[in-house]
Amino acid sequence: MLKFYFSPEWFHGIDSIFEIVSIIVALLIALYAYKIYKFSKVNKYKFFSWAFLLIAIAYIFKILTNLTLYKQNIIEKTIGNLTFTFLTVQKTELFLVWGYLLFHFFMIIGLIGIYLVIDKQAKEQANKKIVILLTFLAFLSAILSHFYFIIFHITNILVLSFITMIFYNNCRKKCTKATKLITSAFFLVLISQIFFIMILFNPNYYVLGEIVQLIGFIILLISYFMVLKK
Amino acid sequence: MTERRNRMEIINDMLIAIQQKERIKPTHLMYKSNLSHKLLKSYLEELIDKEFVKEEVTKNNYKYLFITDKGHEFLQNFRKMKEFTDSFGL
């Protein structure tokens, strides 16, 4: 059987709760950006909204896939019927392959989407051809990530460092609590990707990666409420 | 060079101009919000249609524009939206 996860057993399910928080934050931002688009009819807000929506969808796929994987393990342990277990594993493995592929694909596309919207230079040059090319590369990266999970995290590190740099520059131009928090939030999500790569050495890094990522999304949530409270 | 204002920013500028004066003549609003006559007419129609602004004609036939509660609410929402877009550098 293929090994799809590196999470320690005691952490199974807890990571999904963490991911639900990320989904809520991504959806809140997506909804508000869409509200701005409806008011202003400016396309960049629509694309920004879609990018966060894709990140939320990516996490939904991750949760569904992880829960299937954890459930499958329980079935294998409690029922000792060899034929039945074999069939279940075959069916769920197909779902796991697709689940992780879609998680990787939507996450990379979502992050690239955020980058294209917030980077003024990229925005000016982002015509349809470049968007198609980037989508194709994201798809390739998602497929390769299935065989070498590091590729997914390296791609994320690359795009997230571009995003964090832009937020950092924005923070330098307009230094407010919200801009500082947004920069720190994306920086933490970037750091979490490094921990996910370190799973290769010790599975406990998965827990650390998930915690850092959760803190990143909570900071993003705080900045969201801070902005809307004003 | 300053960036071109988007639709939302133009509406915001118009409402602020009306709010500052409490009531304003359309011609003054045109200067204050830096719009051509044609654009002012089209935006004003939209603002009146959305009930952000109401128009009143005085006895001596002068037209005045007033901001409504809905217009005030829009301005408050706009401030939040601007804060959101500025925070994300959009």
Side-chain angles (χ1 to χ4, degrees):
Chain A
M1 191 189 137
L2 288 168
K3 191 171 192 285
F4 285 97
Y5 66 93
F6 301 90
S7 157
E9 215 160 297
W10 63 268
F11 198 61
H12 289 182
I14 301 173
D15 51 352
S16 300
I17 297 169
F18 286 14
E19 250 93 52
I20 288 172
V21 176
S22 312
I23 292 172
I24 293 169
V25 177
L27 282 180
L28 280 174
I29 294 173
L31 278 174
Y32 198 72
Y34 195 74
K35 189 184 167 188
I36 299 177
Y37 164 70
K38 290 288 269 181
F39 254 124
S40 64
K41 302 282 175 215
V42 177
N43 279 335
K44 67 178 171 185
Y45 303 128
K46 182 172 69 181
F47 297 138
F48 193 69
S49 160
W50 285 356
F52 272 95
L53 184 67
L54 286 175
I55 289 173
I57 293 172
Y59 279 124
I60 291 171
F61 274 110
K62 191 186 174 188
I63 290 176
L64 291 177
T65 320
N66 275 351
L67 290 180
T68 312
L69 188 67
Y70 302 154
K71 200 182 159 202
Q72 174 195 303
N73 280 349
I74 294 164
I75 290 168
E76 275 185 303
K77 277 177 195 169
T78 50
I79 304 167
N81 188 327
L82 193 68
T83 322
F84 177 76
T85 310
F86 177 71
L87 281 173
T88 313
V89 169
Q90 271 210 328
K91 274 183 189 170
T92 46
E93 266 184 13
L94 189 69
F95 178 78
L96 296 176
V97 170
W98 276 101
Y100 277 127
L101 183 77
L102 291 172
F103 159 57
H104 292 154
F105 178 65
F106 284 129
M107 181 57 89
I108 296 168
I109 284 288
L111 290 176
I112 291 176
I114 294 176
Y115 167 68
L116 287 179
V117 175
I118 60 169
D119 187 355
K120 287 189 172 68
Q121 273 182 322
K123 200 162 55 193
E124 278 163 18
Q125 288 157 5
N127 55 34
K128 271 184 188 166
K129 284 176 200 164
I130 289 185
V131 171
I132 291 170
L133 184 70
L134 284 173
T135 310
F136 178 70
L137 289 174
F139 184 65
L140 267 187
S141 173
I143 288 178
L144 285 173
S145 302
H146 181 67
F147 302 104
Y148 308 101
F149 81 97
I150 284 183
I151 290 177
F152 171 64
H153 296 295
I154 290 176
T155 314
N156 282 355
I157 287 172
L158 191 71
V159 186
L160 277 165
S161 28
F162 291 161
I163 293 173
T164 310
M165 274 309 290
I166 294 165
F167 282 139
Y168 175 70
N169 286 334
N170 182 46
C171 187
R172 275 178 36 186
K173 268 185 227 159
K174 197 190 173 197
C175 191
T176 63
K177 265 187 188 170
T179 53
K180 277 182 199 166
L181 285 177
I182 290 168
T183 311
S184 339
F186 276 87
F187 180 68
L188 285 174
V189 179
L190 165 67
I191 296 295
S192 72
Q193 301 302 310
I194 298 168
F195 286 128
F196 287 133
I197 289 179
M198 287 161 73
I199 293 169
L200 278 176
F201 311 111
N202 186 337
N204 285 325
Y205 279 115
Y206 178 81
V207 180
L208 200 57
E210 282 284 328
I211 291 171
V212 172
Q213 185 176 264
L214 176 72
I215 297 171
F217 273 96
I218 288 174
I219 291 177
L220 206 54
L221 184 68
I222 293 169
S223 62
Y224 170 83
F225 282 121
M226 195 187 273
V227 164
L228 294 197
K229 219 179 118 187
K230 282 188 181 176
Chain B
M1 208 175 93
T2 50
E3 264 186 68
R4 255 183 76 186
R5 293 178 297 173
N6 64 39
R7 196 178 141 270
M8 204 161 76
E9 285 165 339
I10 293 173
I11 290 177
N12 179 60
D13 289 348
M14 286 173 78
L15 290 177
I16 286 180
I18 304 172
Q19 191 186 39
Q20 280 170 347
K21 287 263 178 183
E22 283 187 20
R23 60 174 202 169
I24 195 169
K25 283 179 184 173
T27 329
H28 286 164
L29 180 63
M30 188 174 80
Y31 299 135
K32 281 259 178 192
S33 48
N34 212 4
L35 289 170
S36 67
H37 182 262
K38 198 180 158 190
L39 271 178
L40 177 88
K41 212 179 152 211
S42 108
Y43 274 106
L44 213 46
E45 273 170 15
E46 192 183 337
L47 289 182
I48 292 170
D49 199 44
K50 283 186 170 163
E51 295 174 358
F52 287 167
V53 166
K54 64 179 179 182
E55 201 179 46
E56 272 178 23
V57 183
T58 57
K59 283 175 197 166
N60 35 12
N61 243 358
Y62 285 127
K63 225 189 248 180
Y64 281 102
L65 299 162
F66 297 84
I67 185 166
T68 63
D69 287 345
K70 227 176 154 182
H72 284 294
E73 203 181 311
F74 171 86
L75 280 177
Q76 209 176 349
N77 278 331
F78 180 83
R79 257 174 239 129
K80 285 180 186 173
M81 288 179 188
K82 186 94 177 69
E83 188 70 32
F84 179 90
T85 55
D86 285 350
S87 300
F88 280 98
L90 293 171

